[in-house]
Amino acid sequence: QVQLVQSGVEVQRPGASVKVSCKASGYTFASYTITWVRQAPGQGPEWMGWISPDNGNTDLAQNLQGRVTMTTDTSASTAYMELRSLRSDDTAVYYCARSMLDGGTSRFDYWGQGTLVTVSS
Amino acid sequence: DIQMTQSPLSLSASVEDRVTIACRASQSIGSYLNWYQQKPGKAPELLIYAASSLQSGVPSRFSGSGSGTYFTLTISSLQPEDFATYYCQQSYSTPLTFGGGTKVEIK
């Protein structure tokens, strides 16, 4: 069965960096884009961007460009999201999701369990 | 960016009620619209994709309709496990965007 398992809770100071991992199993990792979505407390989800594991191509949300890097290690079936220069408003649960691309549309059909990142001095 | 607006923000309903949630896009998105259910402390789960296609394993009481700028999610007979928050999401163009959510509560 398809599973995405994320790394654990993170507490970081403002200005620091965080790197969240997402290990996939149960499917061919290189065949599906991985999307990163975050959700601040009490808010709706926010798309951060996605990465194609087969070629490393990314499409990142403009408001995060320059602070976020998405990478994959296909040998380990793992995706990574690194966010730098953390601010208090980066406090959120961060999710990875498998993206099914089909006939020009996309959908997030499997999700990781989420990683809480708290930014606090 | 395409803005997604859901209504109502919340609703109270009873078991076996028929419930409809609306979602409007700020520009035409064809049928590039997905619906997710989220329960507290859990990741969202895909219910409907491409406006009206039921995701595998999702009960048939869930249905979606619409195209262009106006979409609806309908639960034909609300069950106790359906009390949750529902989000629409456009997949027409990046940045992909979500609605603000509709919380379905027990009356």
Side-chain angles (χ1 to χ4, degrees), chain A residues 37 39 43-47 50 59 61 95 102-113, chain B residues 32 34 36 38 41-46 49-50 55 87 89 91 94-100:
Chain A
V37 171
Q39 190 168 27
Q43 303 298 310
E46 176 190 6
W47 180 81
W50 54 22
D59 187 355
Y95 294 101
D102 179 18
T105 186
S106 65
R107 57 194 184 266
F108 311 143
D109 60 350
Y110 288 92
W111 294 65
Q113 83 276 20
Chain B
Y32 295 127
N34 304 321
Y36 298 86
Q38 188 176 32
K42 300 294 186 181
E45 292 187 3
L46 179 65
Y49 63 94
Q55 172 68 2
Y87 294 97
Q89 174 248 322
S91 60
T94 62
L96 307 183
T97 47
F98 291 81

Side-chain angles (χ1 to χ4, degrees), chain B residues 56-85:
Chain B
S56 176
V58 173
S60 59
R61 64 180 179 272
F62 291 93
S63 64
S65 66
S67 66
T69 62
Y70 185 74
F71 302 85
T72 59
L73 172 71
T74 298
I75 309 172
S76 61
S77 177
L78 198 64
Q79 298 302 300
E81 61 268 29
D82 301 337
F83 292 96
T85 301

Side-chain angles (χ1 to χ4, degrees), chain A residues 4-5 9-12 17 29 35 37 42 50 59 61 64 67 69 76-77 80 92 102 106 110-113:
Chain A
L4 299 172
V5 179
V9 173
E10 296 268 3
V11 179
Q12 299 291 344
S17 299
F29 180 68
T35 291
V37 171
W50 54 22
D59 187 355
L64 293 173
R67 291 205 299 138
T69 301
S77 298
Y80 301 91
D102 179 18
S106 65
Y110 288 92
W111 294 65
Q113 83 276 20

